[in-house]
Amino acid sequence: MFKVIKESFGITNNYIVIATPLILFSLISSLYLIFSGHGSAIAIAFSVILFLMMLTAFLSGWFYMVMKAVKESDEKCSLLPEFMSGVGEYFLPIIGFLFNTFVISMFFIVGMLILGKKLIGAVGIPSTEIVSALSSVEAMKNFAASLTDEQLAKINQWNILIFGTMITNYFVFMFYAPAMYFKRKNPFVALWLSVKDLFSAKFFKNAALFVMIFITYMILSALNALFGSNIVMHFVLTLVNFYYATYVVVLVFNYYYSNYAKIGSAVDETV
């Protein structure tokens, strides 16, 4: 794994242009959401659909660039022109990718709610109190002080359940995009292949990769929380966040390619 981690740093640094579409999409989508979140229900629905199309175009082209960088890491090539090639080739598969991700995530959420109601039970706090508690830090402190020990225990249990569900959900989808780009475009077949590879003989190695990514993400999140109010540090951390996001995607693609797709110079979907 350490070899792949080192290789992924080299790929990211050699093809740092991969971060360009991510930065542009983040800026454009942020502005779009700010100015389009108003109006009638029909206008908002149209804005959501348009945003999903933007997201689909971005992911299809961006993942294609990452795939090209990983497969052609020994050759210095221009990746920006590949973005539009990826949009044309993977736009429809990425729609299926997003649909499958959403549906399965909903199953995780519903399962979590059913399990939580049976094992933990309701906390017994009206939703209006929760909403009013979020209005300020002082209101949150007063709200927390008014809770009983039983309610606090149930809230902690719900937090653990929600956290565990989110982590499991993210882990299941870790190899979904690489499987689609290295093996099969069909989003349903790629999902099956990715889950099969995830829970293969290298399961613990895959889990170690996920844990490493999760720990580094938590460290970066803590740094953002501590130093985000400083203008200079906020700018530096923003650049670090873009680099980190790019590196993680390259790392996952490179890891999957090295362990599950590449046999010599060929790609075998049965690996």
Side-chain angles (χ1 to χ4, degrees):
M1 182 189 295
F2 293 104
K3 179 183 177 182
V4 174
I5 292 173
K6 182 179 178 181
E7 285 179 353
S8 300
F9 270 116
I11 294 171
T12 305
N13 293 334
N14 289 336
Y15 295 103
I16 194 62
V17 70
I18 296 173
T20 303
L22 175 63
I23 295 172
L24 291 177
F25 176 76
S26 299
L27 294 174
I28 294 171
S29 61
S30 297
L31 292 174
Y32 175 79
L33 291 175
I34 291 173
F35 292 107
S36 65
H38 309 284
S40 64
I42 296 177
I44 293 176
F46 179 78
S47 299
V48 170
I49 293 173
L50 185 56
F51 173 77
L52 290 175
M53 294 298 100
M54 291 168 54
L55 177 63
T56 301
F58 162 69
L59 291 178
S60 57
W62 195 49
F63 286 158
Y64 190 79
M65 289 176 65
V66 175
M67 181 267 289
K68 283 287 187 179
V70 169
K71 291 182 69 174
E72 302 174 12
S73 58
D74 296 332
E75 305 175 15
K76 192 66 177 179
C77 60
S78 177
L79 287 182
L80 280 180
E82 302 289 351
F83 183 87
M84 294 309 300
S85 300
V87 174
E89 188 173 347
Y90 282 90
F91 189 86
L92 291 179
I94 287 295
I95 290 178
F97 169 90
L98 293 175
F99 174 79
N100 289 340
T101 302
F102 174 78
V103 170
I104 294 175
S105 297
M106 288 300 102
F107 274 110
F108 270 99
I109 293 173
V110 171
M112 176 201 69
L113 293 174
I114 294 173
L115 186 64
K117 287 180 180 179
K118 287 187 175 182
L119 298 181
I120 303 173
V123 180
I125 303 173
S127 58
T128 54
E129 290 188 18
I130 297 176
V131 173
S132 61
L134 297 174
S135 60
S136 65
V137 176
E138 189 64 29
M140 179 61 74
K141 289 181 180 179
N142 294 332
F143 172 73
S146 67
L147 298 175
T148 65
D149 292 339
E150 181 182 359
Q151 288 176 322
L152 287 172
K154 286 187 175 182
I155 289 175
N156 290 332
Q157 291 170 1
W158 271 105
N159 287 335
I160 293 172
L161 179 60
I162 293 171
F163 178 77
T165 302
M166 291 174 57
I167 292 299
T168 304
N169 191 22
Y170 295 150
F171 181 62
V172 167
F173 289 119
M174 184 167 68
F175 292 152
Y176 191 9
M180 182 181 295
Y181 279 77
F182 288 123
K183 290 187 175 180
R184 296 289 292 276
K185 289 182 188 177
N186 187 303
F188 299 97
V189 176
L191 177 61
W192 160 247
L193 291 173
S194 68
V195 173
K196 180 174 71 70
D197 291 336
L198 183 67
F199 292 94
S200 65
K202 297 180 180 180
F203 171 78
F204 291 105
K205 185 178 178 181
N206 301 336
L209 174 68
F210 181 81
V211 170
M212 187 206 74
I213 293 173
F214 175 75
I215 291 175
T216 54
Y217 171 77
M218 293 300 293
I219 293 173
L220 186 57
S221 298
L223 292 175
N224 284 319
L226 289 173
F227 303 107
S229 57
N230 183 288
I231 296 177
V232 176
M233 286 302 299
H234 178 74
F235 175 75
V236 172
L237 287 171
T238 298
L239 296 179
V240 172
N241 281 322
F242 281 123
Y243 180 87
Y244 174 78
T246 304
Y247 171 74
V248 166
V249 174
V250 170
L251 172 62
V252 173
F253 269 66
N254 191 32
Y255 176 90
Y256 188 82
Y257 181 63
S258 300
N259 288 276
Y260 294 103
K262 183 173 65 173
I263 298 181
S265 60
V267 173
D268 188 345
E269 67 184 40
T270 64
V271 174

